[in-house]
Amino acid sequence: MLRLTRNALTGTRVSSLRGVRHASSTPPRLARRTLALVSGGVALGLGTLWASKIHADSAAVVTNPRAKNDPDATRSPFGTLVRAYVVYSMCSIPVLVDSAPWILQTFSSIPGIKWITEAIVRVTFFDQFVGGDTATETLPLLQRLRSANTGTLFAYSVEVDEAEAMTASTVASSEHSPYKAIVDEMVHCIDVAANFEDALDAKQTGRRTWVAVKLTALVPDASALIRLSSHILSTRPPSPVAFPGNPTPSDLDILYSPKPTSSPSPLTPTDLATLRDLHASLNRICTHAAARGVRIIVDAEYSWYQPAVDAYALALMRRFNALGSGTQQPLVYATFQAYLRRTPEHLVHALRDARKHGFALGVKLVRGAYHTHEMAAHPTAASEGKPMLSISPDVLPPVWAEKAETDATYDACAALLLDAAAADAKSRRSQSIGILFGTHNWTSCRKILAGLEERGLAVRTSDGKKLSVPERVGERVTFGQLYGMCDDLTQYLADRMESSTPMVIKYVPYGALSEVMPYLSRRAIENKSVLGGGTAQAERKRAWDLMWARIFG
């Protein structure tokens, strides 16, 4: 069973497939180097975080020319700047990033050291990248973000433990199974988001507290999604679109009216019951979200899950994004990953399909976070005969080989979406598209801002410093970044645009430390593409400059 769990992620580099484990074995020499780096990092972290407590967290007048143009210089508490400096100093060390799962697993298994490890993780990486232990505990953060003209995308970032999941699979309908508790928590999260929005000043017209949903967290056996993906690929008509292809309305027919096929289906009766239950859970989540006015973002997964994820996302959009339903549209967003070779054709198809069948298309456009895993999982001549995770029938990997190709795809898709938003905003029909540009890339953000102006979706204010975005556009276009990363870009976007609703949101995960440890490991491993290329060093330098300005300004 393929499962990224709190045990697997903290103890292995790559997931396991029914007992075939790809261990992140750390050689003794590397282990010694890593331990030395960790020891130094821990000492630096504890020392600086302790020292930060003796400084006042009040804002200071900025006089340092290196930081005077950064609004965070007068907004971020000093302790927050110190923490960011420590975290990104650690993220600047490649061997430390690569060894993060092994470090967490090893240190957490040593009696007497576990609580120290968790305490250090909490005051560093947890506080940097996670909003809180519960949805309610994140409310002060949501308020701070909103005061900076920034919204929130909530994410309950936990995954069912593999042992618990396998036990739960025998009682899939039990209301007390671990994954059912996650469904309940997502419904509760919707209420927290809606109550927060309801309490805001009535002058704010847009509701910018949304909720993310990850399908693999909602099933007792995630490998059922892989088998559904395999079934979908084997029963779809041939298509020139690269794997994972385009979803069709009939992809989920197998769940409710199984039909004989020329080849046996990989889906078992237990799989079908699990997948029907998942569909019911998603309908429950979206029904509650529609009643409370909270938008739902369906997160992307590894490509071997994606055909199934696409099928569910399409079914949800067709039901809950129907035009003329009286609900602010779109309610449900699917995620489009620019590093997938299929994405340009897939996006064109999705736009046409939504227009043809009368529903609003919700698009979260991202570059993609699993490139290393996708390349390693794709079969090659050297891997012949070995068990591989990929289910792609294509010769080429599903992802682009070079980052430049992903960047070009992202910008081309962004331009296509802006064209669609412009046509939609100028029409007198109901809103038929919503776009969340998820990116930490300054170049892409500047291109999108320029695209808004070029298409008449925004106009410069009288002083020429900002873009004024009308309400009809603000409901169609939003930017997003991960909480704890690229705050300068987030604030630049928030300050650059003038609108009645926040034009930028932060992806804010939450959950107990023991539950979100896999998320923190993924932030280290899967987002090396974000932290690489000097990004971690730039974040560290930015924190240092702001600390300098706070102390000596």
Side-chain angles (χ1 to χ4, degrees), residues 328-384:
Q328 180 67 51
Q329 297 297 350
L331 179 80
V332 179
Y333 285 56
T335 299
F336 291 70
Q337 300 164 291
Y339 73 177
L340 291 177
R341 296 175 182 273
R342 68 146 181 188
T343 298
E345 293 82 3
H346 175 42
L347 184 57
V348 170
H349 170 83
L351 289 165
R352 290 174 178 169
D353 186 64
R355 285 195 295 268
K356 180 179 179 180
H357 294 97
F359 66 92
L361 181 66
V363 176
K364 182 180 78 167
L365 181 65
V366 300
R367 277 172 166 77
Y370 309 116
H371 188 273
T372 301
H373 293 302
E374 292 286 355
M375 294 295 288
H378 192 73
T380 63
S383 65
E384 188 173 356

Side-chain angles (χ1 to χ4, degrees), residues 424-499:
D424 193 51
K426 293 174 183 177
S427 72
R428 296 183 180 275
R429 300 188 301 269
S430 301
Q431 180 179 339
S432 64
I433 191 167
I435 309 160
L436 171 56
F437 292 111
T439 178
H440 300 92
N441 188 290
W442 280 83
T443 300
S444 292
C445 288
R446 289 190 172 110
K447 286 182 177 180
I448 294 169
L449 289 176
L452 289 171
E453 188 174 7
E454 290 167 1
R455 291 165 177 79
L457 296 172
V459 296
R460 289 187 179 272
T461 55
S462 57
D463 59 9
K465 295 181 179 180
K466 293 186 177 184
L467 290 177
S468 178
V469 181
E471 183 178 338
R472 70 181 189 281
V473 176
E475 284 299 323
R476 290 169 170 82
V477 178
T478 313
F479 293 82
Q481 289 87 43
L482 294 171
Y483 174 63
M485 296 180 65
C486 298
D487 291 342
D488 53 343
L489 174 58
T490 301
Q491 200 58 56
Y492 167 80
L493 293 169
D495 291 343
R496 188 78 173 83
M497 291 176 284
E498 188 178 86
S499 65

